[in-house]
């Protein structure tokens, strides 16, 4: 344990944050988590082992100036995970960018005012690295997403602006704390809460007949328990610095569907038609215009391209080892069945 002071975790109710909190409590830390509703609304957090003695939930909203001042006061480490994670929103500026960017600035201001914070661990995303794969390029932490805007991949835009704001703040203000950033790819895995995370929902949709066929599309995946582990390592490793691209394995949609079939889920409405050839890609690009705006955009900028990235920095500097995605995927599906997001069988 590197601190006896409470570790502040913003967005405690979130899919990733709940796992971070569980790990922190398991390792003996005290936690001050921020939530938007009354603390009693989060029995899945209050029921964690050690929560009764060492978890405090405090209400705060990213859009309220100064909301985190009192909360962060006295903390040495802050994990800033809170940020809206949604793909199709009505108003990208107010629904995504404002809470992501203003919220980050608000939290960092509070860290600075506190005088006690030593390090902030910021949950960014692959979205801040790029919003489209490039088959000819291997992405690393040196890359920045320069393509997104309010019209093009607004979620990616919000994450890019928020991470930039965090780095700018640290450079500009020269305060006493440092910043370490985790950039996860698609995070899947069991959920501690009944809600269905946006990425797990994509797996649910693939199993529920939402996708017309198998597309030529691929993603990096990482298990939520490994993402939580990465946050703790970023806090506890004195030499941790900069950004950490956090992804275990890349899976093509074809491989994903095959894995689901071979893992005992073949009776679900998995896509059957193979549209991963050139003709299928053209067809899917046309059909993408029938999808919600941002889903359509995602298909058009990702289909027919191979996502390549290098995760060596996190492996070597934080010493993390990732669980196999096959296991993670199986547990994700079983967990969605347990929570009732998927039927027992079809
Ligand atoms: P999540 O379950 O939707 O959690 C988001 C959290 O942010 C929730 O606690 C939410 O609170 C909070 N939040 C949103 N708007 C807020 C506001 N205005 N004020 C205060 N809190 C607010 O998503 P997640 O997957 O755990 O994501 C956590 C972080 O990881 C995000 O920064 C996301 O961009 C990043 N990330 C996620 C993935 C992924 O695949 N899941 C991949 C890369 C990066 P409520 O519960 O009250 O809504």
């Amino acid at each position: 344990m590197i601190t006896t002071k409470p570790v502040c975790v913003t967005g405690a109710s979130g899919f990733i944050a709940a796992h971070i909190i569980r790990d922190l409590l398991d390792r003996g830390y005290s936690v001050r988590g921020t939530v938007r509703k009354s603390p009693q609304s989060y029995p899945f957090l209050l029921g964690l082992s050690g929560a009764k003695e060492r978890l405090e939930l405090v209400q705060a909203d990213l859009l309220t100036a100064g909301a985190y001042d009192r909360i962060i006061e006295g903390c040495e480490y802050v994990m800033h995970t809170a940020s809206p994670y949604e793909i199709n929103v009505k108003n990208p500026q107010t629904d995504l960018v404002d809470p992501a960017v203003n919220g980050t600035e608000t939290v960092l201001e509070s860290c600075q005012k506190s005088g006690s914070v030593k390090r902030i661990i910021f949950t960014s995303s692959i979205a801040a690295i790029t919003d489209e794969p490039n088959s000819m390029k291997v992405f690393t932490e040196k890359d920045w997403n320069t393509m997104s805007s309010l019209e093009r991949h607004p979620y990616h835009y919000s994450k890019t602006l928020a991470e930039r704001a965090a780095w700018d703040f640290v450079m500009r203000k020269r305060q006493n704390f440092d910043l370490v950033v985790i950039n996860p790819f698609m995070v899947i895995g069991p959920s501690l809460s009944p809600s269905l995370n946006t990425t797990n929902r994509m797996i649910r949709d693939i199993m529920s007949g939402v996708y017309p066929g198998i597309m030529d599309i691929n993603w990096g995946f990482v298990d939520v328990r490994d993402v939580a582990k990465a946050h703790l390592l970023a806090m506890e490793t004195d030499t941790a610095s900069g950004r950490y691209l956090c992804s275990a394995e890349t899976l093509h949609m074809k491989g994903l569907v095959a894995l689901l079939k071979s893992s005992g889920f073949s009776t679900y409405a998995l896509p059957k038609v193979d549209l991963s050839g050139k003709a299928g890609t053209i067809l899917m690009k046309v059909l993408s215009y029938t999808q919600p705006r941002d889903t359509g955009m995602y298909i058009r900028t990702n289909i027919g391209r191979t996502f390549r990235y290098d995760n060596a920095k996190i492996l070597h500097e934080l010493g993390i080892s990732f669980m196999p995605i096959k296991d993670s995927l199986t547990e994700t599906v079983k967990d969605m069945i347990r929570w009732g997001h998927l039927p027992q069988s079809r």
Side-chain angles (χ1 to χ4, degrees), residues 274-286:
D274 189 352
L275 297 172
S276 65
K278 281 209 170 98
T281 293
I282 294 168
L283 175 67
M284 281 312 301
K285 279 191 181 169
V286 174

Side-chain angles (χ1 to χ4, degrees), residues 11 13-16 36 60-62 68 81-85 99 123-125 155 159 184-187 197 199:
S13 55
F15 174 54
I16 295 174
R36 283 201 281 185
D61 194 291
L62 292 170
Y68 295 81
T81 81
S83 204
Y85 176 33
T123 318
S124 185
S125 169
Y155 167 72
K159 294 304 289 179
F185 216 129
M186 306 285 271
V187 185
N197 186 258
T199 305

Side-chain angles (χ1 to χ4, degrees), residues 78-80 104 108 119-129 141 143-144 159-160 162-168 170-171 178-184 227 230-231 233-235 240-246 313-314 317-318:
V78 174
M79 310 248 187
H80 179 41
T104 296
L108 285 165
R119 175 171 288 177
I120 172 154
I121 296 94
F122 179 84
T123 318
S124 185
S125 169
I126 186 74
I129 289 179
E141 288 84 358
D143 293 300
W144 274 95
K159 294 304 289 179
T160 308
E163 193 193 327
R164 281 234 186 259
W167 286 117
D168 284 352
V170 171
M171 305 293 176
D178 66 1
L179 174 69
V180 179
V181 173
I182 306 293
N183 298 81
V227 176
H231 281 73
L233 285 167
M235 179 179 92
S241 74
R243 313 170 88 191
Y244 289 99
L245 201 156
C246 183
K313 186 169 181 264
I314 197 165
E317 292 186 13
L318 298 189

Side-chain angles (χ1 to χ4, degrees), residues 79-231:
M79 310 248 187
H80 179 41
T81 81
S83 204
Y85 176 33
E86 279 174 71
I87 300 303
N88 293 294
V89 295
K90 276 199 187 127
N91 185 330
Q93 182 67 45
T94 53
D95 297 343
L96 292 171
V97 173
D98 289 348
V101 179
N102 303 348
T104 296
E105 282 165 355
T106 298
V107 167
L108 285 165
E109 290 285 355
S110 302
C111 291
Q112 186 174 35
K113 280 188 212 160
S114 77
S116 58
V117 172
K118 291 182 177 167
R119 175 171 288 177
I120 172 154
I121 296 94
F122 179 84
T123 318
S124 185
S125 169
I126 186 74
I129 289 179
T130 184
D131 73 0
E132 65 175 21
N134 174 345
S135 312
M136 307 305 290
K137 180 175 168 61
V138 177
F139 286 96
T140 71
E141 288 84 358
K142 292 194 179 77
D143 293 300
W144 274 95
N145 173 357
T146 54
M147 315 256 282
S148 296
S149 64
L150 284 176
E151 290 75 37
R152 178 191 155 109
H153 297 307
Y155 167 72
H156 292 65
Y157 188 51
S158 74
K159 294 304 289 179
T160 308
L161 293 184
E163 193 193 327
R164 281 234 186 259
W167 286 117
D168 284 352
F169 188 97
V170 171
M171 305 293 176
R172 208 174 59 234
K173 304 256 169 141
R174 295 187 184 282
Q175 69 308 302
N176 293 327
F177 59 84
D178 66 1
L179 174 69
V180 179
V181 173
I182 306 293
N183 298 81
F185 216 129
M186 306 285 271
V187 185
I188 57 170
S191 175
L192 299 182
S193 81
S195 58
L196 181 61
N197 186 258
T198 298
T199 305
N200 281 348
R201 189 183 305 141
M202 184 192 86
I203 306 290
R204 196 265 320 254
D205 288 350
I206 289 177
M207 298 180 71
S208 312
V210 171
Y211 289 79
I214 297 172
M215 296 181 270
D216 184 14
I217 203 159
N218 59 62
W219 308 271
F221 285 103
V222 57
D223 189 274
V224 66
R225 290 159 289 187
D226 286 337
V227 176
K229 206 195 296 173
H231 281 73

Side-chain angles (χ1 to χ4, degrees), residues 277-337:
K278 281 209 170 98
T281 293
I282 294 168
L283 175 67
M284 281 312 301
K285 279 191 181 169
V286 174
L287 288 179
S288 72
Y289 288 95
T290 65
Q291 295 296 308
R293 194 187 74 161
D294 297 314
T295 306
M297 172 78 71
Y298 187 85
I299 292 172
R300 289 191 291 285
T301 51
N302 279 256
I303 199 163
R305 293 158 175 259
T306 305
F307 223 125
R308 297 161 72 212
Y309 57 85
D310 183 359
N311 64 359
K313 186 169 181 264
I314 197 165
L315 296 176
H316 296 141
E317 292 186 13
L318 298 189
I320 198 167
S321 52
F322 291 113
M323 71 183 284
I325 284 306
K326 181 185 191 312
D327 298 347
S328 177
L329 192 61
T330 309
E331 289 180 40
T332 304
V333 175
K334 287 187 176 161
D335 188 68
M336 287 194 288
I337 295 170

